[in-house]
Amino acid sequence: MTKEFEIWKEQNPKLFAQPPLKDMKQLVKRAAEMHGERAAVKERKGGEAISHSANELKESIEAIGTALIDMGLEGKNIAVLGENSYHWILAFLSIIGGVGVAIPLDKELTDKDLARLMAKGEIEAVFSSRTYIGAVKQHKEESDKLRYQFLMSSDSPAEGFITVDELIARGKELISKGDRRYIDKAVSPDDLAAVFFTSGTTGANKGVMLTHKNLVTNIEGMVHNVVFRDSTFSVLPMNHIYELNCNILPLIYIGVTICINDSLKNLMSNFQLFKPHMVMLVPTFVENFYNAIWAEAEKTGQAEKLRQAVEYSNSLLEKGIDKRAEIFGFIRQKFGGNLDLMICGGAPCNPKFIKGLADFGFRFYLGYGLTEAAPIASLNLDGGKYPASTGTPFHKTEYILHDTDADGIGEVWLRGDNISCGYYKDSKATSESFMDGWFKTGDLGKIDENGHLVLVGRKKSLIVLDNGKNVHPEEIEDLVKDEIPYIREIVVLEAKKEILGSNQSIIAAIVFIDMADFPDKSMEEIWQMASSDINKVNKKLPGYKMIRDVTVVTEDFEKTSTKKIIRQKAIERYRLVSSR
């Protein structure tokens, strides 16, 4: 236990006096008891920050849950679909607190795909924001199971929809008359709480089943391992378990105020409005923040001065003197002035960007996890020092590296109280991924000299060449992006090329370059430039890893809603373009 954690524990006696959580209903009750009128959630309304206390949260959840049970939805699957909002949180926690099973849906999907998932999830009611009324109506036309439609909005109602405010009023009236069916409803740790449909890079949608025990195991781990700040910023979609069970649910329990970003276009202005102390991110945001800081420095002619400041600051750090808050305070002001902690997960992040932002004084927690792990599997609480590591096993989680090769690289297998029991009504996928209590992640990793887990790539993306050599494409992709900054995105793949009369496997790459970066160059000139620079990178690689064919595209790659490139789509695009 670090000195910082000891201080944190002393500052939060009520929190650390609690026995272990058993279920999510207990979480809501305890949060109100511990934090009362403290702001649990803040959101932007009309340019101002509106607060909702822990007491209000509990009362509204109990009212909604009571109304849902009264409407005959006990034991049913209920979807939640919409942008991040206070009402989204209310809907999710109301459902799992004694009504039925919550199924958060990915708001980035098309209406057709959303309707398909609602059918697959056997949805009987749905909470939707106004944006997705069309998808809900489409499902209503195609399915006779959908009974109720609830609107997560406080403004004018929509035809056929009941607003959340109307549900709250209905539930409060029932409670006032003595209805305690929801309030007194017992919830078991082994009860299914939610189903999360993954949006993996393979494009397959599997419904990950998570119990109350799975969820609270992750939350308890965060309580007893992580030092938090006074407020957090919610930027990532709440329908993803990473944002929901690392940022929203644990911090309601701990008493950290959650500030909701209403739109990416308002991101920087909302930093100024809420002035948060911490934020959870995926690598795309970390990279964008880093690049934006340096782009502005270049534009204003301050880049060399900033580089010198970093060198000076780092020289002080080597002597045990930390002056980053003073030297780089102007950078922190761009994020509201209080931000000092960034937590990054969802995908491996290039260490260059972690180290670069750490140089400015931002602290980093880095994690590795999956939906099936609810989600944390390992955690690194010193990302600035170990930017390539995902740390050590998380609370009540253990991992092994299965079938390691000569370099110590193997598939990461997980087990523990946080691990899902399988996929919703998909026995085939469950049997393929779960064995003897272990979850086979499909991620390849190794243990470094510090005993930390370092991810290498995905098992499915591993390239095995004709000569038997193994190539991890992610390794080459990171090197290219480090050496050639104008290459925005890259996917390394296996291709076939005729060499000495035979069709042989080679390493190829498809790269995205924004034409706006080179307004005076033709497509042919850009391709020649990229090919030349990649050949320079090749000199740093062994022969079998060298990129032998380059395809340039000027539109970015298709991604999941957590901003991961869908590799198969990129590979199909390479084959289409290179065949012309």
Side-chain angles (χ1 to χ4, degrees):
M1 184 183 296
T2 65
K3 182 66 176 178
E4 183 185 26
F5 192 85
E6 288 178 2
I7 294 172
W8 162 253
K9 192 171 181 179
E10 290 173 2
Q11 292 172 341
N12 295 272
K14 287 184 181 179
L15 177 65
F16 287 95
Q18 303 294 330
L21 272 174
K22 294 182 179 180
D23 57 68
M24 296 304 298
K25 185 168 193 165
Q26 192 178 62
L27 178 147
V28 173
K29 181 181 178 182
R30 285 188 186 174
E33 292 171 347
M34 288 189 289
H35 312 304
E37 291 304 311
R38 177 183 170 85
V41 179
K42 288 184 179 180
E43 59 183 346
R44 178 175 177 153
K45 295 288 185 183
E48 297 182 358
I50 305 300
S51 296
H52 304 277
S53 71
N55 280 337
E56 180 188 349
L57 185 80
K58 174 178 175 288
E59 290 170 4
S60 296
I61 286 169
E62 289 178 345
I64 293 171
T66 301
L68 294 178
I69 286 181
D70 192 61
M71 298 166 82
L73 289 170
E74 189 171 5
K76 307 301 182 183
N77 292 355
I78 304 174
V80 187
L81 171 61
E83 301 85 359
N84 288 6
S85 69
Y86 174 62
H87 280 170
W88 198 105
I89 298 170
L90 289 182
F92 181 84
L93 286 172
S94 299
I95 297 163
I96 69 173
V99 178
V101 177
I103 303 187
L105 295 176
D106 189 342
K107 63 186 180 63
E108 300 294 327
L109 297 176
T110 64
D111 286 0
K112 180 179 179 181
D113 284 338
L114 287 168
R116 177 178 59 83
L117 286 184
M118 281 190 263
K120 188 174 182 178
E122 302 176 303
I123 301 300
E124 296 198 30
V126 58
F127 284 84
S128 169
S129 70
R130 190 168 294 278
T131 308
Y132 301 96
I133 288 175
V136 176
K137 287 183 175 179
Q138 182 172 334
H139 176 56
K140 178 76 171 176
E141 293 171 359
E142 297 173 357
S143 171
D144 58 2
K145 288 188 72 71
L146 187 63
R147 297 165 56 196
Y148 292 104
Q149 301 151 182
F150 307 116
L151 188 63
M152 294 188 291
S153 174
S154 295
D155 56 12
S156 59
E159 183 180 355
F161 284 74
I162 300 169
T163 68
V164 168
D165 287 348
E166 288 172 331
L167 274 182
I168 292 173
R170 179 172 178 171
K172 284 184 175 179
E173 182 179 357
L174 289 166
I175 292 170
S176 70
K177 294 177 179 179
D179 190 333
R180 297 186 61 86
R181 286 175 292 175
Y182 179 84
I183 294 172
D184 293 338
K185 174 77 178 292
V187 176
S188 166
D190 293 322
D191 286 347
L192 180 61
V195 174
F196 292 82
F197 282 106
T198 61
S199 54
T201 54
T202 62
N205 296 109
K206 293 180 289 188
V208 180
M209 296 187 290
L210 295 178
T211 64
H212 285 263
K213 180 170 69 176
N214 297 151
L215 295 175
V216 300
T217 297
N218 183 91
I219 293 167
E220 282 286 326
M222 296 191 73
V223 169
H224 293 284
N225 288 278
V226 182
V227 176
F228 290 99
R229 306 302 191 265
D230 289 342
S231 63
T232 186
F233 200 31
S234 178
V235 175
L236 304 176
M238 291 179 185
N239 58 275
H240 286 283
I241 189 64
Y242 169 42
E243 174 66 16
L244 184 61
N245 209 31
C246 289
N247 206 19
I248 305 303
L249 305 180
L251 301 192
I252 287 173
Y253 184 58
I254 292 165
V256 174
T257 301
I258 299 159
C259 305
I260 298 175
N261 182 59
D262 60 335
S263 170
L264 287 180
K265 68 180 181 181
N266 295 330
L267 181 65
M268 299 314 293
S269 65
N270 280 338
F271 268 117
Q272 299 302 324
L273 175 66
F274 295 120
K275 304 186 186 308
H277 296 80
M278 56 180 279
V279 62
M280 294 201 180
L281 303 169
V282 290
T284 298
F285 283 98
V286 175
E287 182 176 346
N288 288 345
F289 289 160
Y290 174 86
N291 287 335
I293 290 168
W294 281 104
E296 183 176 344
E298 293 284 356
K299 184 179 179 180
T300 58
Q302 298 296 308
E304 182 56 34
K305 185 176 179 180
L306 184 57
R307 276 188 282 270
Q308 291 174 0
V310 170
E311 290 178 10
Y312 173 65
S313 174
N314 286 342
S315 68
L316 291 178
L317 283 172
E318 291 177 1
K319 300 172 184 176
I321 303 169
D322 188 352
K323 294 288 186 180
R324 288 175 294 179
E326 298 172 29
I327 297 171
F328 304 110
F330 69 98
I331 291 177
R332 187 175 292 187
Q333 288 302 320
K334 299 178 189 299
F335 299 94
N338 294 325
L339 185 69
D340 75 330
L341 174 62
M342 297 184 183
I343 301 176
C344 187
C349 188
N350 190 323
K352 166 186 172 181
F353 303 117
I354 299 291
K355 177 64 169 59
L357 289 176
D359 284 344
F360 296 140
F362 294 107
R363 298 183 61 184
F364 273 92
Y365 296 161
L366 306 178
Y368 162 59
L370 308 96
T371 305
E372 289 87 345
I376 305 177
S378 66
L379 187 62
N380 168 9
L381 296 176
D382 197 352
K385 186 176 181 180
Y386 305 109
S389 161
T390 66
T392 53
F394 194 53
H395 179 71
K396 292 190 176 180
T397 308
E398 59 180 312
Y399 55 65
I400 58 170
L401 298 181
H402 178 74
D403 195 21
T404 54
D405 62 15
D407 296 319
I409 296 171
E411 183 181 6
V412 182
W413 284 20
L414 305 171
R415 72 178 176 186
D417 288 347
N418 58 324
I419 303 300
S420 166
C421 61
Y423 301 113
Y424 185 72
K425 296 198 172 179
D426 193 338
S427 57
K428 182 175 183 294
T430 299
S431 63
E432 289 172 351
S433 296
F434 296 84
M435 186 175 73
D436 298 331
W438 291 97
F439 168 58
K440 300 181 280 185
T441 68
D443 291 315
L444 297 173
K446 61 182 179 180
I447 305 300
D448 68 12
E449 63 277 9
N450 300 303
H452 293 181
L453 176 66
V454 176
L455 297 179
V456 176
R458 288 287 293 168
K459 186 176 180 180
K460 287 184 177 179
S461 64
L462 178 69
I463 298 170
V464 182
L465 297 173
D466 295 334
N467 58 9
K469 294 285 190 180
N470 289 348
V471 177
H472 300 281
E474 295 88 350
E475 173 193 1
I476 304 173
E477 290 162 1
D478 285 344
L479 179 61
V480 170
K481 285 189 289 185
D482 276 347
E483 298 288 329
I484 313 175
Y486 64 80
I487 289 182
R488 300 288 188 91
E489 296 172 351
I490 175 173
V491 171
V492 168
L493 61 137
E494 179 185 10
K496 294 291 185 179
K497 186 175 183 180
E498 189 171 316
I499 301 175
L500 299 176
S502 65
N503 212 23
Q504 297 184 21
S505 293
I506 63 164
I507 299 300
I510 178 169
V511 302
F512 160 53
I513 297 175
D514 193 336
M515 292 285 284
D517 293 340
F518 302 99
D520 300 326
K521 289 186 181 292
S522 67
M523 187 66 193
E524 176 65 21
E525 289 172 325
I526 289 175
W527 177 83
Q528 289 178 350
M529 176 181 67
S531 297
S532 175
D533 287 339
I534 285 176
N535 282 334
K536 294 175 185 175
V537 175
N538 277 339
K539 294 178 181 178
K540 299 185 176 184
L541 293 167
Y544 69 94
K545 291 184 180 180
M546 290 182 179
I547 297 172
R548 306 291 184 178
D549 185 60
V550 179
T551 293
V552 175
V553 295
T554 56
E555 293 182 1
D556 57 352
F557 299 133
E558 189 173 342
K559 302 178 184 68
T560 68
S561 55
T562 49
K563 307 306 177 186
K564 297 177 187 175
I565 294 172
I566 302 176
R567 299 187 73 89
Q568 190 55 42
K569 295 281 188 180
I571 292 170
E572 291 170 4
R573 195 166 164 190
Y574 164 84
R575 290 171 179 160
L576 177 65
V577 175
S578 60
S579 66
R580 292 174 180 169

